Amino acid sequence: MTVARSLPVAALLAAFLFTGACAQDAVTGTDWPLLPVEPLTVVTARGSFEFNVEIADEDHERQQGLMYRPPLADDRGMLFQYPVAAERGFWMRNTPSSLDIVYLDPQGCIISIAAHTTPNTDATYPSRGAANGVLEVRAGRMGEIGAQPGDRVHHPFFDTAAPCDR
């Protein structure tokens, strides 16, 4: 009898936990399991540009990335954080929209940008240098703001005291 009574409670608890783990994306109106969102600024010769980025700092979050997600709004993105700077390579497996992939060194300096990546491909886009941060934004956004290697990304994850090499 106790098992029969606990099943409806367990079902209700499971439904609550499932809906609590999802949040509605204000841009698309779609429910997605969103990660914590933090502000980030990209500084280029054209000025400072604000983004709200999801933070992927655990292995499973970095592996999932933006897979199966709708296109990003101009001010949205995902920041992948790694504890150690190393050569990195990202692919677009199960990612239906094109992205700009921005590789960042420990000081938040842009190492390289893979612009307008091809959706749904296993082709690897290399960092071309040791990166411990990777920023993904809507395809073409970095070109629109004039971002290039040597420009700076400001976020508490990076030690921005040292200058970027230009």
Side-chain angles (χ1 to χ4, degrees):
M1 192 87 52
T2 306
V3 171
R5 287 185 187 169
S6 65
L7 286 178
V9 172
L12 182 61
L13 180 60
F16 173 75
L17 290 174
F18 176 75
T19 58
C22 295
Q24 189 172 60
D25 186 314
V27 175
T28 66
T30 307
D31 288 338
W32 292 103
L34 299 177
L35 300 173
V37 175
E38 297 178 2
L40 173 145
T41 304
V42 179
V43 180
T44 74
R46 295 185 189 167
S48 296
F49 300 87
E50 303 295 324
F51 291 84
N52 290 307
V53 296
E54 293 177 57
I55 304 299
D57 58 0
E58 300 288 335
D59 285 339
H60 68 280
E61 296 165 348
R62 292 188 291 256
Q63 290 171 5
Q64 179 69 32
L66 292 170
M67 287 184 179
Y68 309 106
R69 301 281 287 271
L72 293 168
D74 288 353
D75 68 339
R76 295 297 302 263
M78 183 173 282
L79 177 62
F80 297 78
Q81 298 175 345
Y82 294 90
V84 175
E87 183 71 30
R88 306 264 175 225
F90 271 43
W91 61 30
M92 296 290 291
R93 178 182 295 161
N94 300 317
T95 306
S97 58
S98 183
L99 300 171
D100 285 351
I101 301 173
V102 183
Y103 292 100
L104 305 159
D105 73 10
Q107 290 75 39
C109 303
I110 297 176
I111 298 167
S112 66
I113 301 171
H116 294 278
T117 57
T118 303
N120 294 310
T121 183
D122 285 349
T124 301
Y125 297 93
S127 61
R128 303 190 195 312
N132 73 324
V134 181
L135 174 63
E136 290 184 338
V137 298
R138 177 186 55 78
R141 188 66 180 126
M142 290 295 104
E144 292 168 5
I145 67 173
Q148 56 189 336
D151 286 341
R152 171 68 51 83
V153 171
H154 289 275
H155 181 272
F157 179 68
F158 301 109
D159 175 12
T160 57
C164 289
D165 294 329
R166 289 206 178 243

